């Protein structure tokens, strides 16, 4: 596939001076970066200053490292554009064939809109998400109750499989299924999303060899969901998006849901795991804030130490502009690094920031400026994260990592830094209500009773599916339980 062949009015011609393409760049994604991105950011900063030229899978890009410059890029939308058509190298057909990071950027949705189109899309989001924003509406209340219930059920599963003391992978056995269940509920989907969809989102974000087909598969699933909800509206985000903007086609709504699915599964999951990790590894301030009952503050501290989206979406310069020590030329690609900006912020604020209980809110994990995470999404995601983390420490009397923190395996790509595994040894608290509850999931009695009573819950007539094993089967059984008790 040859990409970006159109000559485009979006990509302005640059003026003179040495361009990004003529600078020597070092590849960003190395094994050193996988193991310790912080030291790579530090070295780039000391070599180049607040902005550094790097190679991203063979393509040169500007990595923005310092807090002040990252904020400038996030806030100033008239210079830093989102639409990929502003990218000169793409417009001139100079990208390598099948450059893996392009697949996601070619999916045109709110994140990659500018100006009026962007403002219009955000308004639709605001109205569609409002019912879920807090617990004061029936939808918001039900979703929050469901998150806590799913979390309890997953912990009960662990207890049933491994006993009141045992080993668990809190990424694979808890966080990932929890977020798939929440996605299913929020999007109003027949329970057909499985681990494979999450893996496809990973393949896209990490720019694996299969990124293009993986993006196509995930988009296809979301477009089918949009069509399904158009014909059978419910009290879910998909239906409310259609109410907010009836002109959305199935394809466009599918693209929006696809992006939300990335946030809800991958990014929210990273925030859950990173927060759990900060607590487990004994970050003293995080533990202190947790023991004070300030879970929101714990999340902020973890987000500062380890933001779930390490590097935000690319921006493209609308005109030649100075940033850091370089002249960025019109149509150049720029990647604002939240992880590097936090490193910079912690250095500036040092002990003051780490000890303070309020200033951690300066973190950029939700972005900043006109494209920042919409407030309703932020509140919802914040509740999901605090509930997911809170239920673990409610039920566990003790939990400790079974690997030294520096040996934990990370998924480290151009966008996301997230744990592949979060292996722990746990002991249930004496008071935990899940002691003994989980057996019904392993002996199968609960499952068959649930499906007999509720059908295959969550699956609408016409899209009913066969019972299946593995994660999908587990989710169905649990959600059947939810329907019965809810
Ligand atoms: C812990 C979880 C989450 C984090 C850390 C997060 C973070 C972010 C960040 C950093 C951005 C801006 C990206 C950029 O400027 O390049 C963003 C945008 C966005 N997020 Fe979230 N998000 C989370 C959860 C969610 C959820 C659950 C949803 C929806 C269900 C959502 C919907 C959106 C949307 C629609 C945008 C695009 C806004 C725009 O471009 O105007 N996010 N999010």
């Amino acid at each position: 596939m040859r990409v970006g062949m159109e000559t485009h009015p979006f990509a302005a011609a640059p003026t003179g001076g040495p361009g990004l393409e003529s600078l020597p760049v070092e590849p960003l994604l190395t094994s050193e970066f996988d193991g310790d991105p912080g030291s790579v950011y530090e070295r780039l900063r000391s070599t180049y200053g607040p902005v550094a030229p790097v190679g991203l899978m063979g393509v040169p890009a500007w990595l923005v490292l310092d807090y002040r410059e990252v904020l400038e890029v996030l806030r100033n939308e008239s210079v830093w554009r989102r639409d990929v058509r502003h990218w000169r190298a793409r417009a001139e057909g100079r990208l390598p064939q099948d450059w893996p990071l392009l697949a996601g950027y070619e999916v045109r949705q709110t994140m990659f809109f500018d100006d009026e189109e962007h403002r219009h899309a955000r308004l639709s989001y605001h109205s569609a998400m409002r019912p879920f924003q807090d617990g004061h509406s029936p939808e918001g209340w039900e979703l929050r109750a469901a998150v806590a219930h799913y979390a309890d059920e997953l912990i009960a599963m662990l207890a049933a499989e491994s006993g009141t003391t045992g080993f668990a992978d809190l990424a694979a056995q808890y966080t990932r299924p929890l977020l798939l269940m929440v996605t299913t509920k929020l999007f109003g989907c027949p329970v057909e999303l499985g681990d494979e969809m999450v893996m496809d989102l990973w393949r896209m974000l990490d720019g694996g060899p299969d990124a293009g087909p993986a993006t196509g598969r995930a988009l296809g699933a979301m477009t089918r969901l949009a069509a399904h909800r158009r014909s059978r509206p419910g009290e879910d985000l998909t239906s409310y998006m259609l109410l907010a903007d009836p002109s959305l086609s199935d394809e466009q709504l599918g693209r929006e849901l696809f992006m939300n699915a990335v946030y809800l599964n991958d990014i929210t999951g990273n925030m859950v795991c990173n927060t759990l990790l900060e607590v487990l590894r004994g970050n003293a301030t995080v533990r202190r804030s947790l023991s004070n009952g300030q879970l929101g503050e714990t999340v902020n501290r973890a987000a500062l130490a380890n933001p779930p989206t390490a590097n935000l979406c690319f921006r493209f310069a609308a005109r030649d502009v100075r940033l850091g020590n370089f002249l960025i030329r019109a149509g150049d690609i720029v990647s604002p690094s939240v992880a590097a900006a936090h490193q910079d912020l912690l250095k500036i604020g040092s002990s003051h920031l780490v000890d303070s209980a309020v200033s951690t809110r300066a973190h950029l994990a939700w972005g900043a400026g006109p494209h920042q995470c919409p407030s309703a999404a932020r509140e919802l995601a914040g509740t999901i994260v605090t509930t997911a983390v809170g239920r673990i420490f409610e039920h566990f009397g003790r939990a400790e990592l079974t690997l030294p923190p520096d040996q934990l395996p990370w998924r480290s790509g151009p966008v996301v830094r997230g744990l592949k595994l979060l292996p722990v040894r746990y002991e249930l608290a004496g008071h935990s209500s899940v002691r003994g509850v989980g057996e019904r999931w392993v002996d199968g009695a609960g499952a068959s009773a649930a499906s007999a009573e509720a059908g295959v819950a969550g699956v609408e007539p016409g899209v009913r599916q066969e019972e299946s094993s593995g994660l999908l089967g587990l989710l169905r059984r649990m959600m059947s339980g939810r329907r019965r008790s809810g």
Side-chain angles (χ1 to χ4, degrees):
M1 180 180 76
R2 189 104 172 105
V3 283
M5 282 305 288
E6 76 261 43
T7 37
H8 223 283
F10 283 93
T15 56
L20 178 58
E21 287 82 3
S22 62
L23 288 167
V25 291
E26 62 171 280
L28 181 68
L29 306 171
T30 57
S31 56
E32 183 194 2
F33 185 78
D34 283 351
D36 182 10
S39 65
V40 174
Y41 297 137
E42 204 46 68
R43 200 185 51 251
L44 288 169
R45 184 180 283 120
S46 66
T47 311
Y48 299 102
V51 178
V54 295
L56 283 178
M57 298 163 170
V59 170
W62 298 108
L63 188 68
V64 189
L65 299 158
D66 280 6
Y67 191 80
R68 200 172 64 95
E69 282 72 11
V70 167
L71 260 189
E72 149 64 20
V73 169
L74 297 184
R75 284 184 174 158
N76 190 345
E77 64 174 330
S78 66
V79 175
W80 307 105
R81 314 296 277 163
R82 296 299 292 265
D83 194 323
V84 72
R85 288 173 293 183
H86 287 284
W87 190 5
R88 209 175 60 252
R90 174 187 171 278
E92 293 172 1
R94 284 188 287 106
L95 294 180
Q97 292 229 327
D98 293 331
W99 189 62
L101 295 181
L102 196 59
Y105 279 86
E106 297 285 358
V107 180
R108 270 186 63 70
Q109 38 76 18
T110 302
M111 287 191 84
F112 305 146
F113 291 162
D114 289 312
D115 304 328
E116 203 35 54
E117 194 179 17
H118 176 236
R119 277 186 281 283
H120 173 79
R122 266 189 86 99
L123 281 177
S124 303
Y125 264 110
H126 280 303
S127 90
M129 292 195 108
R130 195 172 300 124
F132 303 100
Q133 174 158 6
D134 52 41
H136 297 134
S137 65
E139 296 90 341
W141 184 87
E142 201 186 317
L143 189 68
R144 277 155 183 75
V147 176
H149 177 82
Y150 298 155
D152 289 348
E153 294 288 10
L154 285 162
I155 298 167
M157 264 298 290
L158 285 181
E161 276 176 3
S162 312
T164 51
T165 62
F167 294 92
D169 172 0
L170 293 183
Q173 289 176 275
Y174 180 69
T175 307
R176 280 216 310 270
L178 176 66
L179 291 169
L180 271 174
M181 293 162 91
V182 175
T183 307
T184 298
K185 168 99 184 141
L186 179 66
F187 286 15
C189 26
V191 187
E192 62 174 10
L193 303 179
D195 241 6
E196 202 42 43
M197 186 211 50
V198 178
M199 295 302 157
D200 278 341
L201 300 177
W202 286 17
R203 288 180 187 113
M204 175 193 72
L205 286 180
D206 295 353
D210 195 20
T215 308
R217 282 191 298 269
L219 262 178
M222 292 301 148
T223 307
R224 286 194 297 280
L225 171 59
H228 173 65
R229 276 295 157 217
R230 189 187 299 278
S231 62
R232 305 180 61 85
E235 283 148 14
D236 50 72
L237 182 64
T238 313
S239 306
Y240 291 166
M241 293 277 291
L242 279 168
L243 270 181
D245 183 359
S247 73
L248 280 174
S249 65
D250 290 346
E251 287 70 25
Q252 186 53 35
L253 180 51
R255 288 192 275 270
E256 299 294 341
L257 292 173
F258 161 85
M259 186 258 292
N260 288 342
V262 170
Y263 275 114
L264 199 51
N265 289 275
D266 196 8
I267 311 299
T268 311
N270 287 334
M271 206 175 216
V272 171
C273 286
N274 292 351
T275 307
L276 286 169
L277 173 61
E278 286 303 310
V279 181
L280 291 168
R281 81 199 303 189
N283 178 323
T285 46
V286 170
R287 272 189 195 253
R288 196 182 318 135
S289 60
L290 185 68
S291 58
N292 289 341
Q294 301 168 321
L295 255 180
E297 174 60 14
T298 305
V299 175
N300 283 344
R301 286 176 187 278
L304 196 55
N306 216 343
T309 328
N311 299 311
L312 298 190
C313 293
F314 300 138
R315 270 77 173 161
F316 308 98
R319 55 176 169 79
D320 293 0
V321 59
R322 189 152 278 287
L323 192 69
N325 300 326
F326 291 95
L327 179 68
I328 312 293
R329 296 168 67 188
D332 276 0
I333 177 173
V334 163
S335 170
S337 174
V338 165
H342 285 183
Q343 187 187 44
D344 181 38
L345 185 68
L346 286 169
K347 231 172 31 196
I348 304 167
S350 243
S351 56
H352 158 70
L353 255 176
V354 177
D355 289 341
S356 154
V358 288
S359 45
T360 54
R361 282 189 284 166
H363 77 73
L364 298 176
W366 306 110
H371 280 275
Q372 71 182 290
C373 195
S375 53
R378 242 168 28 215
E379 290 203 19
L380 177 61
T383 310
I384 295 170
V385 174
T386 50
T387 305
V389 173
R391 297 316 286 168
I392 286 283
F393 291 102
E394 167 69 23
H395 290 299
F396 286 5
R398 283 174 63 86
E400 57 201 25
L401 291 169
T402 57
L403 280 176
D406 63 356
Q407 283 176 29
L408 287 169
W410 289 88
R411 239 176 86 222
S412 182
V415 180
V416 163
R417 182 166 162 83
L419 283 166
K420 285 184 189 155
L421 306 171
L422 186 51
V424 296
R425 186 183 302 111
Y426 68 86
E427 190 180 317
L428 285 185
H431 67 265
S432 171
S433 55
V434 303
R435 280 173 171 261
V437 170
E439 283 78 3
R440 70 175 191 267
W441 301 120
V442 274
D443 66 12
S448 45
S451 15
E453 205 174 307
V456 183
V459 180
E460 304 287 343
V463 282
R464 180 177 295 230
Q465 298 177 345
E466 294 304 308
E467 274 284 2
S468 61
S469 57
L471 178 63
L472 182 53
L474 166 69
L475 297 185
R476 285 210 183 120
R477 294 196 291 276
M478 289 185 159
M479 297 191 73
S480 304
R482 163 82 198 131
R483 286 268 169 111
R484 275 183 306 148
S485 58

